[in-house]
Amino acid sequence: MPRPGAAALDRAKSLLDGALGPSKVVTGEGALAAFAGDESENDPVLPDIAVVAESADDIRAVLRVASETGVPVTPRAAGSGKSGGCIPVGGGIVLATAGMKAIKEIDRNEQIAVVEPGLVLGDLHAAVEAEGLFYPPDANSLSWCALGGNVAENAGGPRAFKYGTTRDYVLGLQVVTMGGEALSIGRRTKKGVTGYDLTALLVGSEGTLAVMTEAVLRLVPKPETVVTLMALFEDVYATSRAVAAMLGARVVPACVELLDRATLDAVRRAGVSVDERASAMLIIEVDGAEVTTELEMERVGGACDAAGALAVLVAQDVAQRDRLWAARRALSPTTRAMAKYKVSEDVVVPRAKIGALLETVDVIRETTGVSMLTYGHAGDGNLHVNFLWNDPAQVADVRVGLDMLFRAVVDCRGTLTGEHGVGLSKASYLPLEQSRAVIDLQKQLKGVFDPKGLLNPGKIFPRVGHGGC
Ligand code: 2HG
Ligand code: ZN
C-alpha cells in the first residue's frame, strides 16, 4: 500500500502541531512503535505520525487535517484487536483515543451509560455493577481492551450466547467523519426507529467509516446469582451433543465455552490440574434469579450427563470461579506461547454443525501436518480454530489449511468471523462468503463516508493472501 509523500506529511505535521499543540503529536520511530501493531498475527507497520487525542475536538482536528492533506488516518483504541484493524498499513497518522477514558454518565433509571472510546471494558463493568447494573459484552481481553475498539469491531465474548454482542448494547454514537464533521446518531431510548439505523452500520465497521467520540450504551439489571459449571468429556464430539441437550431442555446459559483436547493439554501445562481422562471441557455459566439458576444448573447437569460427561463440577465459591475464568480468558496468550507462529481464527457455524467443523479440523490437521487446537464460544458456534507451527516453511501448509477451513465454514452456511473482524487478516477471503454485488455495495457505502479512501485504508476489502501468515 503506497505511503503518503514527504510534502503531504510535513504539511499534516505542521497543521496538527498548530491545531493541537506539539505535545499531542508524536513522531520518531521509537515513540511510534507503540502505535504500530495489535494482538493479531499481522506484522506491525510504523505510522509517520501519531496523535494522542484528549477530546472530540482533537479528533475533529485530526480528521480535518487528514482530509485537507490527503494523508491516511488509522484510528486506534487499546490495540487489543485480533485482525489487524488498527495497523496503519498506509502509514500516515494513527489517531489514538486510549487517553479518552471517561464515563460521562451512568443513569440508573434509564439504564444507560455514556462512555468515551478509551474506557477499558473491565472498568465499565466495575462501574455499572457498583450501581446494580450490567453491561454484558465481555471480550476475553476485558482487563485492557477499550470500548472504542469493541464498538469498531462489534466485539463479542463468552456471554454473547445469552446476551448478544456489542451492537446489541449500543443505542447511539457521537462520531466524527472524514473532514471533521461531528454527528450525533442513534438515540438514548430503548426503542426508536427514526431513519436508517446508522448506529448499527457503524458498530462493526472496523473504523473505516467514522471515528467514535462517545457511545450511549444500554445496560440491564445485574443478575442476582451466577453459577459456573465445568463439564469434562472423553471426546470432543460429546460436547456438541451436550449443548444441543441444554437447548432442548430450554436452558439458555450465559456462556457455553468449549476447550478441545489440545487446548486442555495447554491448560494442564500452564499448571491447572484437569482429570487426565478428559479430552474436552465445557465451561457453562447460568445466571439470573436464585430459583431459576438452581433449576437451570440441574438441567445443564442433566444435559451433560445425557451426553456422556465424565464429570460435572460446580464452582463452589467466587475464588474457584475466578480461577476457572482466569484460565479461560488467558487461553489466547497461553496457546500463543506454545509455538513460534500462531494463527487464531474465529469462524462461526450453525450450532448443529459444530461436530462437523471439529471433524474438518481433524482432516485439516492430518492433511497439512500442522498442529491445531480449538476452543471458543460453543453456544454461538463461534470457534477459535488455531494453527501453531515453528518452521517458517510450514506457512504454505497453514494457507492450505485456512483455505480448507474457510470453505468448510461457508459450505455449512457459517461465517468467516464471529467477533474479531475482517481487518487485514481475512480481507482476501471475503469473496468466499459475500457476492461481488454485496462487496461493491459496501464499497459504495465506504465511498459515501470517506470519498478519498483515507480512513483506515486496506481493511475489510479483498487483497491477496491471509494477513496473518
Ligand atoms: C477468546 O475467545 C478471544 O479468548 C481470543 O476471542 C481468541 O486469540 C484467540 O484465539
Ligand atoms: Zn473469542
Side-chain angles (χ1 to χ4, degrees):
M1 172 148 279
R3 293 182 73 111
L9 283 170
D10 283 349
R11 196 159 158 252
K13 165 85 171 72
S14 79
L15 287 173
L16 289 170
D17 282 345
L20 304 168
S23 66
K24 295 180 192 168
V25 184
V26 179
T27 51
E29 277 188 22
L32 289 172
F35 304 93
D38 69 356
E39 285 294 296
S40 72
E41 298 80 17
N42 296 282
D43 290 334
V45 177
L46 275 188
D48 299 289
I49 303 169
V51 171
V52 181
E54 288 174 11
S55 67
D57 283 345
D58 291 351
I59 293 176
R60 291 183 68 177
V62 172
L63 296 187
R64 202 166 40 237
V65 169
S67 276
E68 251 177 72
T69 56
V71 170
V73 57
T74 301
R76 172 189 184 91
S80 64
K82 299 288 304 179
S83 59
C86 66
I87 297 182
V89 279
I93 306 165
V94 161
L95 171 50
T97 58
M100 295 170 63
K101 293 176 184 298
I103 298 180
K104 294 197 152 175
E105 197 182 331
I106 296 177
D107 186 326
R108 287 174 68 166
N109 284 333
E110 298 299 330
Q111 300 191 333
I112 57 172
V114 181
V115 304
E116 288 189 330
L119 177 66
V120 169
L121 177 60
D123 293 344
L124 172 66
H125 285 166
V128 301
E129 286 173 33
E131 302 284 336
L133 295 165
F134 193 53
Y135 177 71
D138 62 336
N140 275 318
S141 50
L142 57 85
S143 62
W144 70 288
C145 67
L147 265 298
N150 289 183
V151 169
E153 302 294 332
N154 187 20
R159 296 197 293 236
F161 181 49
K162 175 170 178 179
Y163 290 102
T165 60
T166 302
R167 184 178 285 122
D168 299 305
Y169 294 88
V170 181
L171 294 172
L173 290 169
Q174 305 283 332
V175 296
V176 181
T177 52
M178 283 308 287
E181 190 174 359
L183 301 175
S184 179
I185 60 172
R187 55 188 205 273
R188 287 171 62 99
T189 52
K190 190 164 178 185
K191 285 179 84 173
V193 291
T194 312
Y196 291 151
D197 193 346
L198 294 176
T199 312
L201 172 64
L202 290 194
V203 178
S205 63
E206 306 194 16
T208 63
L209 300 180
V211 180
M212 161 192 157
T213 57
E214 215 172 275
V216 182
L217 304 174
R218 180 169 78 85
L219 307 172
V220 296
K222 185 177 171 206
E224 272 169 40
T225 321
V226 180
V227 180
T228 309
L229 300 96
M230 178 178 85
L232 298 172
F233 298 85
E234 240 164 355
D235 86 282
V236 76
Y237 298 103
T239 59
S240 52
R241 291 200 299 275
V243 176
M246 276 171 225
L247 294 174
R250 299 194 194 198
V251 184
V252 182
C255 326
V256 185
E257 295 287 297
L258 164 83
L259 285 70
D260 78 350
R261 186 182 45 73
T263 311
L264 275 188
D265 285 343
V267 169
R268 288 182 179 112
R269 277 198 296 276
V272 180
S273 88
V274 179
D275 187 333
E276 284 303 325
R277 292 170 304 158
S279 287
M281 179 196 280
L282 286 180
I283 300 172
I284 305 142
E285 197 153 273
V286 290
D287 67 359
E290 205 160 328
V291 275
T292 48
T293 47
E294 248 171 55
L295 184 70
E296 290 188 331
M297 186 174 78
E298 276 165 29
R299 290 186 183 176
V300 164
C304 292
D305 286 341
L310 291 169
V312 183
L313 310 167
V314 180
Q316 294 303 310
D317 50 36
V318 177
Q320 262 190 13
R321 174 172 178 251
D322 287 352
R323 268 201 304 278
L324 193 57
W325 276 110
R328 165 61 188 96
R329 294 206 187 275
L331 278 181
S332 185
T334 305
T335 55
R336 180 71 198 80
M338 287 170 65
K340 246 193 195 154
Y341 307 102
K342 165 179 137 153
V343 165
S344 168
E345 288 308 336
D346 80 314
V347 294
V348 192
V349 293
R351 259 191 308 269
K353 300 286 182 186
I354 289 178
L357 180 71
L358 293 169
E359 276 168 20
T360 303
V361 171
D362 286 342
V363 173
I364 297 172
R365 187 186 291 112
E366 275 157 35
T367 312
T368 62
V370 178
S371 294
M372 295 179 75
L373 52 83
T374 303
Y375 56 89
H377 319 293
D380 302 316
N382 179 198
L383 294 184
H384 300 304
V385 177
N386 282 243
F387 296 75
L388 299 157
W389 72 105
N390 288 310
D391 177 357
Q394 276 186 293
V395 165
D397 299 319
V398 174
R399 290 202 178 119
V400 169
L402 285 166
D403 204 68
M404 289 170 74
L405 175 70
F406 292 146
R407 283 180 195 281
V409 164
V410 171
D411 281 352
C412 71
R413 302 171 110 177
T415 186
L416 296 178
T417 170
E419 53 178 14
H420 295 170
V422 176
L424 294 175
S425 299
K426 267 177 253 188
S428 57
Y429 293 98
L430 197 64
L432 262 187
E433 182 177 331
Q434 296 190 336
S435 69
R436 178 184 288 269
V438 170
I439 294 173
D440 284 349
L441 180 60
Q442 292 174 93
K443 284 184 174 168
Q444 285 168 37
L445 277 170
K446 163 79 174 156
V448 169
F449 281 85
D450 176 21
K452 297 182 193 157
L454 294 171
L455 184 56
N456 207 2
K459 312 297 159 61
I460 302 180
F461 299 111
R463 43 183 220 116
V464 179
H466 184 277
C469 70

